[in-house]
């Protein structure tokens, strides 16, 4: 009986150690790939600004985003998944370029862009660090975030089609809160083994950072009188 208990305890310890190694590997690969995709997206956005490329429009943006997101999800367990992530984030960087270029062309635009970048970095590092340090479980936020993002997305489309500035600002404020929650949720999900695929973890965090930046840009632009 004592031998069985020792073997059981050893098996549990090995399983726990393996789980910790797996989690650490996912965290390392996720943040490495996230850093690379953020740099790549910044490069494509910079090229779009330098060449003054026009925005592809709402329809092309949505088709490109959801199409590449679907492709990435399908390829997430293969080497092509990483290539698909770069295609997705590069495309998102390109769509961001004309937006940033617009703000840079305004009187206080440069300051607004820098403030949005600093705010995004501060929120992401702060929330990620908090989740990694405290190791709290934020899985309870999943359902709320899913419903909230869907409603905010539909409201955003309504603000565009019906040209309602107040609704657009409200949506941007909502997205700041929702994307902050998504950063906490996804980081916690990685830590606790809910997300074991670093490709999809990278995509989720990238999308959160992207939407957080564009929402802050919109809000700060309004406050600074750029919009």
């Amino acid at each position: 009986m004592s031998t069985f208990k020792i073997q059981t305890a050893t098996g549990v310890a090995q399983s726990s150690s393996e789980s910790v190694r797996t989690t650490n590997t996912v965290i390392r690969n996720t943040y490495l790939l996230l850093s690379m995709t953020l740099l790549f997206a910044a490069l494509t956005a910079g090229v779009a600004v330098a060449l003054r490329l026009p925005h592809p429009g709402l329809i092309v943006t949505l088709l490109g985003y959801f199409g590449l997101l679907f492709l990435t999800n399908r390829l997430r367990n293969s080497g092509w998944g990483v290539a698909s992530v770069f295609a997705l984030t590069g495309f998102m960087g390109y769509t961001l370029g004309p937006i940033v270029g617009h703000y840079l062309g305004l009187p206080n635009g440069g300051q607004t862009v820098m403030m949005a970048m600093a705010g995004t970095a501060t929120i992401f590092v702060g929330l990620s660090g908090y989740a990694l340090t405290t190791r709290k479980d934020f899985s309870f936020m999943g359902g709320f975030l899913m419903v909230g993002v869907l409603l905010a997305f539909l409201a955003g489309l309504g603000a565009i089609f019906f040209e309602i500035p107040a609704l657009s600002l409200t949506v941007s404020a909502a997205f700041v809160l929702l994307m902050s929650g998504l950063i906490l949720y996804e980081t916690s999900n990685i830590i606790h083994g809910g997300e074991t695929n670093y490709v999809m973890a990278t995509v989720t965090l990238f999308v959160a950072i992207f939407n957080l930046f564009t929402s802050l840009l919109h809000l700060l632009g309004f406050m600074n009188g750029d919009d």
Side-chain angles (χ1 to χ4, degrees):
M1 179 65 70
S2 60
T3 302
F4 174 74
K5 289 181 178 179
I6 293 174
Q7 291 176 339
T8 301
T10 302
V12 171
Q14 290 176 341
S15 177
S16 177
S17 178
E18 182 63 29
S19 177
V20 170
R21 282 198 296 269
T22 300
T23 298
N24 289 339
T25 299
V26 174
I27 292 174
R28 182 177 64 253
N29 290 342
T30 297
Y31 283 98
L32 176 60
L33 183 58
L34 180 63
S35 300
M36 295 171 64
T37 53
L38 285 172
L39 289 174
F40 184 62
L43 176 62
T44 57
V47 170
V49 171
L51 298 180
R52 297 184 179 181
L53 298 178
H55 194 277
L58 179 62
I59 301 301
V60 174
T61 298
L62 292 178
L63 288 176
Y65 170 71
F66 286 109
L68 289 170
L69 183 61
F70 175 78
L71 179 64
T72 302
N73 185 58
R74 290 292 300 272
L75 299 174
R76 61 182 176 178
N77 293 317
S78 72
W80 288 104
V82 174
S84 183
V85 171
F86 276 99
L88 172 62
T89 56
F91 175 76
M92 293 177 71
Y94 157 61
T95 63
L96 180 63
I99 298 174
V100 172
H102 167 73
Y103 280 95
L104 291 176
L106 298 175
N108 298 317
Q111 179 184 2
T112 300
V113 172
M114 293 304 297
M115 288 175 63
M117 289 178 63
T120 301
T122 301
I123 292 172
F124 176 73
V125 172
L127 293 177
S128 296
Y130 177 76
L132 289 168
T133 302
T134 63
R135 304 186 73 85
K136 288 186 177 181
D137 187 357
F138 291 97
S139 59
F140 65 90
M141 299 173 64
F144 167 78
L145 289 172
M146 182 180 297
V147 174
V149 169
L150 177 60
L151 291 177
F153 175 73
L154 293 176
L157 291 179
I160 293 174
F161 286 122
F162 297 106
E163 299 182 354
I164 307 175
L167 179 58
S168 181
L169 288 171
T170 302
V171 170
S172 292
F175 261 106
V176 170
L177 296 176
L178 288 168
M179 294 304 104
S180 297
L182 184 58
I183 291 169
L184 281 174
Y185 170 79
E186 187 62 15
T187 305
S188 170
N189 211 22
I190 297 171
I191 295 172
H192 296 285
E195 179 59 84
T196 59
N197 187 287
Y198 71 92
V199 168
M200 297 311 299
T202 298
V203 169
T204 301
L205 290 175
F206 182 93
V207 169
I209 292 171
F210 180 91
N211 286 314
L212 181 59
F213 173 71
T214 54
S215 298
L216 285 175
L217 189 61
H218 185 201
L219 291 173
L220 291 171
F222 176 78
M223 293 172 60
N224 291 337
D226 292 335
D227 284 343

